[in-house]
Amino acid sequence: MFDTLMSMPLLSGISRERLAQALSSVKLQFCKYADGESIVSIGDHCDSATLLISGLARVSITDEVSHFELQYTLGAPDALLPEYIFGRAVSQPAEIKAIGEVSVLRIAKTDYLMLLQSDPVFVLNMLNTLSLKSQHAFEGVLAISGSNLARRVALWVTALTPLRATDIRLHCAANISEAFGVEAAVMQSVLTQMQGDGYITSFSDVALTVADRRSILPLLR
């Protein structure tokens, strides 16, 4: 169990003994979910850090008018939407369901604050998580107007997904080409090349899929 927790992005970087000491002062809630059960529902109050300690979870996010849908899978160990633990957005934006049997550790926000105060490494872990998310979001917005279309697609995918995301699916109500402001034939040509090079697994006029977020990273180098 401690090996799993020590590899969790929010809890990594300290010794087993120090982690055990820090966790002993907070309340830990362990939950199990069967295949298809909801771990997080849209609109749930963001009142805890939710850590995936075993199994897989499917994350689905849809905008308010259903023009855009994002889905991806996360595997343990990882945090589920850690950027929503704090901030003005107090409601969960996603539906997260278990794939197979899943174990989750929840730490109430008040207890997680105590954990952050117990060791500066925990603070740095959270700051790194939040910084990475905000930087990728900024890059993704800028990418929409860039000249290299394949790079723009890659930045779009990485801006919207966490580091360890797999089985990523992006779906637009309108054509993807319209979202990027290019002709449909140009978009199809670029996506066909990206599929042939192994960066994406499939695409249509309104959707594209990526097997693993890491597979698209070479386009950003």
Side-chain angles (χ1 to χ4, degrees):
M1 171 64 73
F2 267 93
D3 288 339
T4 299
L5 293 178
M6 289 177 67
S7 60
M8 192 77 62
L10 295 183
L11 302 178
S12 63
I14 63 174
S15 68
R16 179 188 297 264
E17 292 74 18
R18 183 67 192 93
L19 180 60
Q21 181 184 13
L23 293 179
S24 67
S25 63
V26 300
K27 182 179 179 180
L28 307 178
Q29 180 185 6
F30 292 92
C31 307
K32 286 190 176 293
Y33 297 89
D35 182 49
E37 275 195 286
S38 180
I39 302 171
V40 170
S41 295
I42 296 174
D44 281 356
H45 187 66
C46 305
D47 57 3
S48 64
T50 305
L51 309 180
L52 185 65
I53 56 177
S54 71
L56 299 170
R58 187 67 173 171
V59 181
S60 301
I61 302 174
T62 306
D63 69 350
E64 293 182 357
V65 290
S66 299
H67 286 163
F68 177 81
E69 181 183 29
L70 166 68
Q71 294 184 353
Y72 59 85
T73 297
L74 277 181
D78 214 331
L80 299 176
L81 299 177
E83 64 270 26
Y84 286 90
I85 299 174
F86 304 110
R88 293 187 176 183
V90 296
S91 298
Q92 294 284 6
E95 182 76 26
I96 305 179
K97 293 187 176 183
I99 301 176
E101 188 173 286
V102 168
S103 294
V104 164
L105 168 60
R106 295 184 187 274
I107 306 175
K109 186 182 294 187
T110 52
D111 285 328
Y112 187 65
L113 277 170
M114 292 174 56
L115 198 64
L116 291 176
Q117 293 167 0
S118 71
D119 197 301
V121 172
F122 295 138
V123 178
L124 288 174
N125 288 341
M126 174 54 81
L127 288 175
N128 285 336
T129 297
L130 296 178
S131 296
L132 185 64
K133 186 71 176 180
S134 64
Q135 290 163 1
H136 282 163
F138 181 69
E139 291 170 351
V141 171
L142 293 181
I144 294 298
S145 60
S147 59
N148 185 322
L149 187 53
R151 180 178 170 82
R152 287 162 61 189
V153 172
L155 280 167
W156 198 40
V157 171
T158 56
L160 294 170
T161 55
L163 287 175
R164 305 180 187 183
T166 61
D167 191 16
I168 301 163
R169 183 177 186 272
L170 301 171
H171 181 273
C172 300
N175 286 354
I176 293 178
S177 58
E178 293 181 13
F180 282 88
V182 299
E183 295 181 358
V186 173
M187 194 80 221
Q188 183 173 5
S189 176
V190 170
L191 293 179
T192 298
Q193 183 66 50
M194 291 179 71
Q195 184 179 22
D197 292 339
Y199 295 122
I200 65 175
T201 51
S202 64
F203 70 91
S204 67
D205 290 342
V206 296
L208 65 87
T209 59
V210 179
D212 191 312
R213 185 182 185 275
R214 289 167 293 190
S215 69
I216 209 166
L217 293 180
L219 286 171
L220 306 181
R221 295 170 185 163

